[in-house]
Amino acid sequence: MTLSVTHTEATIRPSRALLPLWVGAGVYALLLISGNRLLNDPDTLWQITVGQWILDHRAVPEVDVYSFTMRGAPWISTQWLAQVGYAAAYRLAGWTGPVVLAASAIALAFALFARALGRHLRDSTMLVFVVAAFLLCLPHLLARPHVLAFPILVAWMAGLIAAADRKAAPPLALVLLIALWANLHGGFVFGLFFMAPAALDAVVNAEPPLRRALALRWMAFAALAVAASCCTPYGWNALLAAQKILSLGQALPLIVEWKAADFQGLGPFEICLLLAIGFALYHGLKLPPVRILMLLGLLHMALAQARAAEILALVGPLVIAAPLARQLDPLPAAPAGARAALTSAVVLALGAGTLASLSVLTFAPNMRGTPVAAVTELKKLNLTRVLNDYDFGGYLISTGIAPFIDGRTELYGETFFVDHNAASGLMEPDNLFRLLKDYDIEATLLRTQSAATKLLDHVDGWQKVYADDIATIHLRKAGARHTAEPPVDSGRN
């Protein structure tokens, strides 16, 4: 009987060790098949444009060179390395390049995620967390810089939490990850902040005589990590740039991905949250106090900002994996490594499958909400001062037109962004006329259904020269008179 059990474990463990590889392969294949979904965000256009500028000039931007409202103002791109990656991929393979690059990074992140969970949890539990994480991340799985940082997010957090589980300090080699993260995406600041609760968890659970030495080791690691995060072309200004984004105040809730979670309709976030609560109540799960604080902090972020749901999805399970395993009686942990030969075979198979699929699949950005036709007409007017809709700014940059505003909200600042939003939505109609005057606007390119567009239809001095279902162009013209008089009811009640 003993021999039978040993033989079973010997045959199961290698297959368990390879399960994260299959998870990554499955995610990659799914994303490649639905590749156009990764190009659904117009911000991808200007991210690639900035990357092309960096490649052409062999330098990183330090001032704005795109808009006409902020041209020459200080601006740095903490995402420069990701932008270069997307631009190089686009030069190499057209839109297939960014799709394959983004899909590969996301797949690697989920493989690392499954691997970290598989060290503690049985396969079925691990796969439930993987599916839930994928569903929560899905709305934000786009060919933008943040997904290239996903593998580093998972590896960094898994390293910190594994050290806390061991009641030890993280390996010094981990600081290389934060240096790379700082060049890919501004989210590295969250990675730095997370060192504090991880260190607290490790120190609190260590033996009393060892706590002081362990705390000093964590402090030394934190100092090295902060220093490593400044290893960017911008030095410590990368940290300040992240702080600038977080200080946008009233502007952040006006951006879709920064809005608070909305539970008016039943969605993946609410479903996963309710199932998690039910699971915890049914099993009577208990967590150490610091892990509870970590989880509540992640949950607060996800409730306060929709984009933080992906952080909860990828970090939350790592936080609770070890305590959960102790209470659910998992199978023996799989070995950390996988068979190199089979891993290489799977990677080669994915590469071959990618090349084969290119004869069937074609990739291109979704232009349904993009003012392609309107911009074509706008270029014929040879204008330089156009008031545009916020969502149109990225496309304007990619076509060589200087926008009034675009997705680089940290460049424009809270007041400018809020004023523009109030003007285009006519929450404060005077803002619209003030912006038109103060910036000497020659034409407007706004959504056809926006309140500002409807108002300009009835304002003398502005002539509608183009309109479709997406965008409308109004041209400043001194002799123009509005053509649609509002109806007047002369009857009396």
Side-chain angles (χ1 to χ4, degrees):
M1 186 66 176
T2 302
L3 291 175
S4 175
V5 172
T6 303
H7 175 72
T8 300
E9 288 186 3
T11 56
I12 288 177
R13 283 190 173 195
S15 63
R16 290 196 67 223
L18 291 174
L19 185 56
L21 181 63
W22 300 122
V23 168
V27 169
Y28 177 79
L30 183 61
L31 291 174
L32 191 65
I33 292 171
S34 58
N36 281 328
R37 193 188 182 286
L38 294 171
L39 301 175
N40 272 352
D41 194 312
D43 275 3
T44 300
L45 299 172
W46 74 260
Q47 299 282 5
I48 291 177
T49 301
V50 173
Q52 290 171 336
W53 187 95
I54 295 172
L55 289 173
D56 292 340
H57 292 80
R58 298 184 181 275
V60 293
E62 297 190 11
V63 297
D64 174 41
V65 296
Y66 295 108
S67 75
F68 72 87
T69 49
M70 295 292 172
R71 185 173 294 272
W75 176 70
I76 65 174
S77 177
T78 55
Q79 307 169 126
W80 74 272
L81 186 57
Q83 291 162 341
V84 166
Y86 280 126
Y90 180 77
R91 284 186 178 183
L92 179 65
W95 287 111
T96 300
V99 168
V100 170
L101 180 60
S104 300
I106 297 168
L108 177 58
F110 275 91
L112 294 173
F113 179 66
R115 181 173 179 267
L117 293 179
R119 292 171 176 170
H120 302 285
L121 304 174
R122 63 188 73 182
D123 294 348
S124 57
T125 306
M126 179 264 283
L127 289 174
V128 168
F129 278 122
V130 168
V131 172
F134 186 81
L135 291 176
L136 291 181
C137 292
L138 190 58
H140 211 208
L141 294 184
L142 301 161
R144 285 173 47 186
H146 69 280
V147 300
L148 299 190
F150 270 7
I152 301 175
L153 165 69
V154 173
W156 172 263
M157 295 300 173
L160 295 184
I161 294 168
D165 287 335
R166 299 191 307 269
K167 304 177 184 61
L172 294 181
L174 206 59
V175 300
L176 298 176
L177 288 179
I178 203 72
L180 179 59
W181 193 356
N183 287 278
L184 284 172
H185 189 258
F188 76 95
V189 175
F190 171 72
L192 294 177
F193 278 119
F194 198 82
M195 290 188 293
L200 178 63
D201 184 70
V203 172
V204 166
N205 292 303
E207 295 296 328
L210 303 176
R211 288 176 181 171
R212 178 181 174 82
L214 182 57
L216 291 175
R217 290 173 61 195
W218 270 93
M219 290 174 64
F221 174 82
L224 286 174
V226 172
S229 70
C230 295
C231 295
T232 75
Y234 302 111
W236 59 275
N237 284 324
L239 286 168
L240 298 181
Q243 186 274 334
K244 189 175 181 180
I245 294 175
L246 296 175
S247 64
L248 284 171
Q250 297 179 19
L252 288 181
L254 301 176
I255 304 173
V256 173
E257 62 188 33
W258 288 93
K259 288 183 177 179
D262 183 2
F263 294 110
Q264 293 186 7
L266 188 64
F269 186 15
E270 184 176 359
I271 292 173
C272 292
L273 185 58
L274 292 175
L275 289 176
I277 294 173
F279 180 84
L281 293 174
Y282 180 79
H283 288 280
L285 299 177
K286 294 181 179 180
L287 295 176
V290 179
R291 297 294 172 105
I292 293 175
L293 292 176
M294 289 182 184
L295 194 59
L296 290 178
L298 294 169
L299 180 58
H300 168 74
M301 289 174 56
L303 292 173
Q305 301 168 356
R307 64 178 293 156
E310 65 205 34
I311 297 179
L312 173 64
L314 293 173
V315 180
L318 300 177
V319 168
I320 66 174
L324 191 63
R326 290 193 288 268
Q327 298 176 63
L328 294 183
D329 188 25
L331 294 173
R339 292 179 178 176
L342 186 54
T343 301
S344 300
V346 172
V347 172
L348 289 174
L350 289 176
T354 299
L355 293 175
S357 67
L358 298 183
S359 61
V360 179
L361 302 174
T362 57
F363 305 110
N366 182 356
M367 295 296 187
R368 283 178 295 182
T370 305
V372 178
V375 169
T376 300
E377 295 300 316
L378 184 64
K379 284 186 173 182
K380 297 176 183 178
L381 299 174
N382 293 319
L383 305 175
T384 58
R385 308 183 71 82
V386 179
L387 176 67
N388 62 277
D389 187 276
Y390 173 79
D391 290 335
F392 294 165
Y395 181 69
L396 290 178
I397 289 177
S398 70
T399 58
I401 296 178
F404 182 92
I405 192 171
D406 56 78
R408 299 170 299 158
T409 314
E410 74 280 5
L411 167 66
Y412 297 96
E414 177 185 4
T415 300
F416 187 96
F417 181 88
V418 171
D419 280 350
H420 177 273
N421 184 76
S424 59
L426 291 188
M427 281 76 80
E428 297 179 21
D430 286 345
N431 275 18
L432 174 62
F433 298 110
R434 179 172 56 80
L435 293 180
L436 294 174
K437 178 182 178 182
D438 290 352
Y439 290 93
D440 194 20
I441 299 300
E442 300 171 303
T444 63
L445 176 69
L446 301 171
R447 290 198 177 276
T448 296
Q449 300 304 320
S450 74
T453 296
K454 300 301 182 183
L455 177 61
L456 289 174
D457 284 342
H458 301 281
V459 174
D460 291 343
W462 291 91
Q463 180 181 3
K464 182 190 293 185
V465 296
Y466 178 84
D468 58 28
D469 293 340
I470 299 172
T472 294
I473 301 174
H474 281 94
L475 180 66
R476 183 190 290 273
K477 193 171 182 180
R481 296 289 181 268
H482 59 77
T483 57
E485 292 286 349
V488 177
D489 183 1
S490 58
R492 296 182 178 179
N493 294 329

